[in-house]
Amino acid sequence: MESKIGAGMTLTQEAAQRRVADIISAIPVVLTEYRCPLCARVFPGYSGLREHYEAEHAGAIAPIVVMLMLNGKGCEVLIEPHWTLKRTLQFRLGLTGTKHMCDKGVCGSCTVIMDGRPVLACQILTAECEGRDIQTIEGIAADPKWKPLIDAYCRWDAMQCGYCTTGFLVTAKALLDRNPNPTERECREALAGNICICGTYPRHSQAIIEAAAAMSGGGVDG
Amino acid sequence: MADIAGVNGQREQFRVVGQRNLPGKLSYTIASGVAQFGNDFVLPDMLHAKFLRSPYANARVVSVDTERARALPGVADIVTWLDEDIVRISSHGESFGPGTRPWIDNIADQEGAEVAVIVVAEDEDTCDRALEMLDVQWEVLPHIVDLHRGRQPDAYVIRPQVREAPTFGAPGMGGPPNPPKRGNVAYSNMISGDAEAGFDAASHIIEYDLYTPAFAAHLPNPSGSVAWWFDDPYHPEGGKSLHIEGAVRERMAIAMMYGLPPEKTVQEGLFMGGKYCDWGLRKSQEITPLLARRTGRPVRCVNTREDMFDFIMKQRYVHMKVGFNEEGLITAVEDDSIADGGVWGSSSFGNVGDLTQGPYNTLKCKNVTQRMEIVDSNRGKMYVSGQHCPFNWDSITMAIHLIAEKLGRDPIDIARLNLHGPNSQDDIDPVPSFEACVEAGKKLMGWQWHRAGAKRLPDGRLHGASFRYQMCPRHSFSSYNCKLELRNGVVHMPTQGPLFGVFAVECNAMVVAEELGLSYDDIQIDFDYRETFTPVGGGSDGTTASAWVMKECANILKLRILEAAIEYANDPPVPGFGHGFGPPPPPPGPFRGLAPDDLDIVEGRVVLKSDPSQGVPFKQATPKNLFATYSGRPPLALWVTGQMGKQLDTMNTAYCEVAVDEETGEVEILRFGVVADPGKVMRPISLESQIDQVMFFSQGCQLLEDFVYDEKTGVKLNNNMIDYKKPGMMDVPRVDREFLETRAGNAAYGSNGISHSLANTHLAIIAIYNAIGVWVDPPATPDKVLSALNKDMPF
């Protein structure tokens, strides 16, 4: 049973999986327009934007084009040099599963996986990410391999208000990448950098351990 | 009060209610990263807005010159408090604040307050640059962030224009009217019985101080909104319609603010974030429609994390005087409190009126005097409820433990002695729910009370333990309007949601499934912002009360389904006629000539009660679409009818064990224990999560969290997540939980929920006292523990 609900959201795992796949595929590989962040004028090519800056915004630092490798897909993105990866994911690429909470590298809500390691997108400049392999929650959720982890999180209510959940999930995925059968203690240590105001902490270890068992062929108790 | 008024209130067999591991209806949306909160929305051509925020704790903007800022490339609009568009608007969100004040003006009554100017630009960086280019003339005023200073007769009066007492607690209950406000201080005095006589009758009198630090609400998602106006072909009259995201559940308040009918106000988002009794709209959630109208473009306005350090519990100092006899029976209580009144518009909930809310009412002792000073301050704002202010419950928890220590008796026995019976303060009978909770709690904890400082753990640290009881408050006075629909054989449950941190919709769906003989997955939830049903109303209390209403509605639908199945069997369509185009109608069930009482619904089929093997699925039983509606609430809970604690039904108990290292001052909470009687467990995992959450909240405010101000400037020093420490995964202790089901509540199946009744400010603090024999005010950081032990920090 599937239904579309407010703001394009869906209820089932399969529908959510399709939705994130759609979000990823909607990201253009090549930029076709270049918008001035200062005055909103749009140019068909990057050189036009550069010339516009020199003529109209002399002294201002012009945006740059960065090639990102996101969820296995290369894409050009126009950003200002000081933009963090978090900001770019939301405001340029529509990947809003990476959340903004503390903006100080404390809460873990903006966790992404970069070259196999969980990192905080609010603390990394997008310009530094060129050529790096980046996975966001959307890429993980779209990959059927990680369905057991998503399922386990949902079965165990490892979320309440849901805002920090994706940061935990990305960290959990990174843990399972390097340790397919973590102990409860290892789960807690891996997630020590993620903060949940709703106090869901005990649920995460339960979900990760259940997912690990399911992914290694073990069963799930009802 | 048992639920005897509702249908199936004392149902004995449950197939769905009580099941574990049923995913939340929106959980996949959340886990996959699809869920969008207000600050996530990004629209093409979207502008950004930011407020001028005060760098001073108390100040007035004398003048602003916006000319340079307006000339900055990328600035789209600047409005000030004097603009007609701003003067015309007013907030319609929930508020307990005193008096009326312009929506925004030139007064800043805390550091970071939105004041005087709003800038709209192409991006947030440009907003920041424009704000820096404003030429603002400030008149910096004296501030009050120290309540003791603020209550002095010669203190600077920070709000001379507001002379009203706080909303709750005035006038005095049973005593003389409260004195008029004086300086920064409003009064809430309450008198019950004769405290002087009670002290005269006491064998012992103890006096002690209790400090409750301020505690951050700390909404995970930064508050904000995105709004845009659009041509609505369905509602073209009256101009464009408004779409606003981020002010979840407050669509009507926004519509009223902008003079719009509901049908012209769209709000699809479902995700509020962790709004635990913090329902107040922030200005960033209210202003975007105005700015979008002025600029003709979508506008986003989102607070930063630093802007989001609002209170969910305000600072309070309590001096207690308690008299008791040789047995430990309390004979008199005096409570002299100094509470933070906060900034203008701050909620007074939980800071006044304790006598009307429960803690003292659970005692046999009727001689209680409470004198409270509520001090206006520039410390900050609490929006609406104060989830973590359990009405000063811990003043009595502390009394029980101090009496126990004085008399060398188990605090549980002291609590039992002082707790009145179920029916009144004169009732000496035991409260069954309390007795059951205590019996289970003792087993759960291996409870063996010892005197302060009397027990060491094998590793040499001192061991301490504490206990606390509470009644289960609940919100049965909340009414709900709900409906269910059988459409093409599927049961639909329409609701506006939202999702705000409890699994309320899911609990309701479980009840509907239970009553209709369906599985949880059979219930189709239709989330629609235009629907009226919103199962919000006080944590698990609201869940159980709304579930009662849904239970009634489900039974109405059930009867209609059975009647329709019989009608279809009695008058089936003639083969080949009467069904228009499409496939022929299905044959009816074997129900001809029967009555609804002859039928039942089992596993999605209408069946004969006499032979459940004979039946048909809904879709075959009736071709009709059927509706059921119900408006109302469950019978009022005893919390309401029993004068907030003067009668008692369901209770809960909490326990804490700590280890204190005398060398380092470090406190480790070894475990929390909770035995609660929610009446009936509806959705076990969400109930367990609520317990965990409230215990971790309590841990934070007792060991880690407080607001720190610079006395000289009144500026907050730790309103960020580095310096304001929340408990993390490695900090939180084990929480052992056990639930009793006395079915004594008023809501669905005798449930009542527990809401935030387990929130506490001193359970760990009392356990620390039991370990070291000295009081340490929260937050009990190592330096304070060592100071209490007269030791220096080891580094």
Side-chain angles (χ1 to χ4, degrees), chain B residues 283-432:
Chain B
K283 291 191 191 305
S284 60
Q285 294 172 292
E286 296 181 310
I287 192 58
T288 50
L290 173 64
L291 303 176
R293 189 154 59 193
R294 285 172 62 96
T295 59
R297 290 167 63 179
V299 174
R300 174 184 190 267
C301 183
V302 174
N303 290 347
T304 67
R305 169 53 51 200
E306 284 70 19
D307 302 330
M308 289 290 297
F309 272 77
D310 301 308
F311 300 141
I312 205 157
M313 179 168 72
K314 289 190 290 189
Q315 188 182 43
R316 178 169 171 178
Y317 298 89
V318 187
H319 179 76
M320 292 287 292
K321 180 179 172 186
V322 177
F324 56 96
N325 67 17
E326 292 293 351
E327 295 295 309
L329 184 70
I330 295 172
T331 58
V333 176
E334 270 188 12
D335 169 339
D336 288 286
S337 287
I338 299 166
D340 182 13
V343 302
W344 194 322
S346 207
S347 164
S348 57
F349 193 87
N351 272 24
V352 296
D354 295 345
L355 272 183
T356 64
Q357 303 288 351
Y360 297 122
N361 290 344
T362 66
L363 301 177
K364 288 172 184 158
C365 174
K366 298 176 187 173
N367 303 318
V368 182
T369 296
Q370 183 175 58
R371 292 180 289 263
M372 182 173 290
E373 297 182 9
I374 302 109
V375 184
D376 288 345
S377 82
N378 303 109
R379 291 173 57 84
K381 186 167 181 175
M382 185 166 81
Y383 283 83
V384 183
S385 177
Q387 130 101 11
H388 205 70
C389 315
F391 312 113
N392 195 25
W393 203 276
D394 291 308
S395 60
I396 287 301
T397 308
M398 282 178 70
I400 287 167
H401 281 265
L402 287 166
I403 294 168
E405 185 67 25
K406 178 89 176 171
L407 300 180
R409 293 183 54 196
D410 189 327
I412 291 179
D413 294 335
I414 300 295
R416 178 184 286 117
L417 177 69
N418 281 286
L419 186 67
H420 64 68
N423 296 315
S424 74
Q425 285 184 287
D426 298 318
D427 186 353
I428 60 168
D429 291 337
V431 180

Side-chain angles (χ1 to χ4, degrees), chain B residues 619-661:
Chain B
K619 202 167 182 175
Q620 186 177 343
T622 175
K624 285 187 172 180
N625 286 358
L626 301 170
F627 292 88
T629 63
Y630 189 89
S631 296
R633 56 162 173 76
L636 286 173
L638 204 62
W639 184 52
V640 181
T641 62
Q643 299 175 70
M644 307 287 185
K646 291 187 178 177
Q647 295 175 23
L648 296 169
D649 53 4
T650 54
M651 309 286 287
N652 59 70
T653 55
Y655 310 81
C656 177
E657 275 189 274
V658 300
V660 181
D661 188 323

Side-chain angles (χ1 to χ4, degrees), chain B residues 675-693:
Chain B
V675 178
D677 174 13
K680 166 72 186 155
V681 177
M682 307 286 284
R683 189 172 184 277
I685 294 186
S686 43
L687 187 62
E688 291 167 3
S689 290
Q690 191 174 18
I691 299 281
D692 291 347
Q693 174 185 23

Side-chain angles (χ1 to χ4, degrees), chain A residues 175 179 181-189 205 208-209:
Chain A
L175 167 67
N179 180 357
N181 291 294
T183 63
E184 196 268 347
R185 174 81 190 178
E186 288 167 337
C187 291
R188 291 177 65 187
E189 286 175 349
S205 302
I208 294 167
I209 289 168

Side-chain angles (χ1 to χ4, degrees), chain A residues 1 3 9-11 20 35 38 82 87 90 99 101 104 106 151 155 157 160 163 197-198 201 203, chain B residues 21 25 28-29 35 39-40 45 74 125 220 271 276 306 501 521 524 683 688-689 693 697 722 727:
Chain A
M1 199 174 342
S3 77
M9 287 165 280
T10 50
L11 294 180
V20 287
R35 183 186 171 108
L38 294 182
H82 66 282
R87 197 170 177 180
Q90 174 174 1
K99 300 297 187 188
M101 189 191 295
K104 291 267 190 295
V106 180
D151 280 341
R155 274 170 45 80
D157 284 1
Q160 277 192 204
Y163 193 71
I197 310 298
C198 306
Y201 296 124
R203 303 285 171 211
Chain B
N21 297 110
K25 294 289 183 182
Y28 285 108
T29 299
N39 59 318
D40 290 330
D45 210 28
D125 299 329
F271 301 96
Y276 300 108
E306 284 70 19
D521 288 336
Q524 171 76 46
R683 189 172 184 277
E688 291 167 3
S689 290
Q693 174 185 23
F697 268 17
I722 294 174

Side-chain angles (χ1 to χ4, degrees), chain B residues 455-472:
Chain B
K455 182 176 176 181
R456 278 194 191 275
L457 296 165
D459 61 13
R461 292 181 297 172
L462 285 163
H463 171 271
S466 60
F467 147 84
R468 174 182 189 267
Y469 75 83
Q470 238 257 32
M471 55 188 289
C472 297

